[in-house]
Amino acid sequence: SGLARPAQALDEQSAAVFIDTAVKDAFAALAAKTLTIDERRKVAKGLIERYADIPQVTEGLLGRYAARAAAEERTRFQGMFIDYLLTGLAGDMLMDIGSEPNIQIRAAHRQGDSVLVQTVAVSPGEDPLRIDWIVGTRPDARPVVLDVLVEGVSPLKTMKDEFTSFLGSNG
């Protein structure tokens, strides 16, 4: 039929499969030891663009200031945000990726319009690292990562607090 169906709500299993796929794609794309840091950043940028909703994330970061920004300013900020993330992921993190994903999915729970996917990163000789993923959907119903919490801390929340403080002080 020609009628559009309403988007299905993201269910817990689909969100968990989405995170599993994203993690495996990231490890596969970044595992080659021959990649330079610049090549790794380019690959990481593609992964971010594929698995995250940058306009939605940056709007959340800017909070009430997003409405005041012109479309070209929001677009420029989105590019700067990705560059900021990739600078933060420099060196060690992007260079120290093995060929096998070491992230295990533990559970997935609905939280309003999103799903919290709980995972743990395990590496031999190190304490397990809890990583929680907030998965939502884009308007086209495609799942996307909205936030990542490492040991309960959201880097995006920290950035939002910093940006809000800066914008509040500088108009």
Side-chain angles (χ1 to χ4, degrees), residues 5-11 14-15 18 53 56 113 135-144:
R5 293 181 352 161
Q8 298 277 330
L10 182 67
D11 63 67
S14 296
F18 171 75
D53 186 346
Q56 190 172 342
D113 291 339
V135 180
T137 55
R138 292 168 38 110
D140 64 4
R142 183 171 65 92
V144 287

Side-chain angles (χ1 to χ4, degrees), residues 23 27 98-104 120-124 126 129 131:
V23 167
F27 275 81
S99 59
E100 289 297 316
N102 61 349
I103 296 178
Q104 301 167 356
V120 63
V122 280
S123 296
E126 295 183 19
L129 181 67
I131 304 171

Side-chain angles (χ1 to χ4, degrees), residues 24-131:
K24 286 177 179 169
D25 281 357
F27 275 81
L30 294 166
K33 298 300 180 195
T34 57
L35 293 175
T36 67
I37 189 63
D38 288 337
E39 290 168 331
R40 288 177 184 282
R41 284 187 177 136
K42 191 175 288 187
V43 169
K45 181 178 181 180
L47 290 165
I48 290 168
E49 290 170 343
R50 175 196 255 158
Y51 290 108
D53 186 346
I54 297 303
Q56 190 172 342
V57 170
T58 55
E59 185 174 317
L61 281 174
L62 292 173
R64 67 178 186 247
Y65 297 101
R68 298 181 191 174
E72 63 273 3
E73 291 172 320
R74 286 193 302 271
T75 299
R76 191 173 65 220
F77 181 74
Q78 290 166 17
M80 290 168 44
F81 171 69
I82 291 174
D83 290 343
Y84 181 78
L85 280 179
L86 294 175
T87 300
L89 292 175
D92 292 348
M93 190 170 180
L94 283 177
M95 294 301 287
D96 194 25
I97 292 183
S99 59
E100 289 297 316
N102 61 349
I103 296 178
Q104 301 167 356
I105 294 176
R106 297 291 190 197
H109 307 282
R110 172 152 303 287
Q111 294 187 325
D113 291 339
S114 62
V115 175
L116 172 71
V117 178
Q118 297 172 310
T119 66
V120 63
V122 280
S123 296
E126 295 183 19
D127 289 336
L129 181 67
R130 192 181 86 218
I131 304 171

